[in-house]
Amino acid sequence: MALDELKSALPDYAKDLKLNLGSVIGNSELPQQQLWGTVLACAIASRSPIVLRELEPEAKANLSADAYTAAKSAAAIMAMNNVFYRTRHLLSDSEYGTMRAGLRMNVIGNPGVEKVDFELWSLAVSAINGCGLCLDSHEQVLRKAGVERDVIQEAFKIASVIQAVGTTLEAEAVMGG
């Protein structure tokens, strides 16, 4: 199992990550599509070849073809949107916030899966990419759709653990650990 491979690859000093990885994925109460879509989108967003190589096959096996594509789409569109909207927010000139974006984002309106799932994946990727505006936007859509805070937190817990695992394994690969 890929999860076991990742856990065993983590160094002893990252024992908490081993435990958390098993917990947030192995013991998640999210429905399979929400869980594995979140895992895949976050593995892509982590930019860690090791994490993506280990988690992608299991995500693909647990997702329909449409959900698999939608999770990849969430990672792709959020890679763009998180930079754009985070930059707009961080610039002290508020005039940028009134300007038309002029960027295509059609997949958000028609992701090929339930809107709630796509929004959850987008929120998780936005957590990794650190865009507060996107986090607020996706969280509000999810809450208006009746998604409870514990489900939303579950998504960004997965994001945080996958990001930390990727960072740690990539650092160990560079340091020869």
Side-chain angles (χ1 to χ4, degrees):
M1 174 187 218
L3 200 53
D4 291 334
E5 294 294 323
L6 277 178
K7 290 186 332 191
S8 68
L10 286 164
D12 289 341
Y13 68 80
K15 181 179 180 183
D16 289 328
L17 297 183
K18 289 180 191 187
L19 297 171
N20 289 333
L21 188 62
S23 175
V24 299
I25 297 175
N27 299 327
S28 177
E29 293 184 16
L30 292 177
Q32 287 297 297
Q33 180 164 297
Q34 286 183 353
L35 170 64
W36 286 103
T38 302
V39 169
L40 179 59
C42 290
I44 293 168
S46 78
R47 299 174 186 84
S48 169
I50 297 166
V51 167
L52 185 56
R53 187 173 40 249
E54 292 300 324
L55 293 178
E56 183 274 338
E58 194 160 352
K60 191 171 190 175
N62 282 285
L63 293 169
S64 68
D66 287 344
Y68 178 78
T69 298
K72 294 191 304 180
S73 296
I77 198 70
M78 287 301 107
M80 177 184 74
N81 283 0
N82 293 155
V83 171
F84 181 80
Y85 288 106
R86 182 179 63 236
T87 301
R88 245 189 186 182
H89 176 72
L90 292 173
L91 287 170
S92 59
D93 184 346
S94 61
E95 190 69 25
Y96 289 103
T98 66
M99 296 171 68
R100 183 177 172 276
L103 297 171
R104 293 193 179 271
M105 303 174 216
N106 295 331
V107 72
I108 294 172
N110 187 18
V113 294
E114 292 293 324
K115 182 85 168 148
V116 164
D117 293 352
F118 193 82
E119 289 289 333
L120 193 68
W121 304 336
S122 296
L123 177 128
V125 171
S126 296
I128 289 173
N129 292 334
C131 180
L133 281 176
C134 294
L135 283 166
D136 281 342
S137 174
H138 296 293
E139 190 267 348
Q140 289 170 12
V141 170
L142 287 164
R143 295 290 292 143
K144 283 180 186 169
V147 177
E148 297 294 330
R149 285 181 178 88
D150 60 336
V151 171
I152 295 168
Q153 181 169 289
E154 188 75 19
F156 63 82
K157 281 171 52 177
I158 292 167
S160 66
V161 172
I162 288 176
Q163 177 65 21
V165 168
T167 298
T168 302
L169 292 176
E170 295 304 314
E172 283 297 308
V174 169
M175 296 183 293

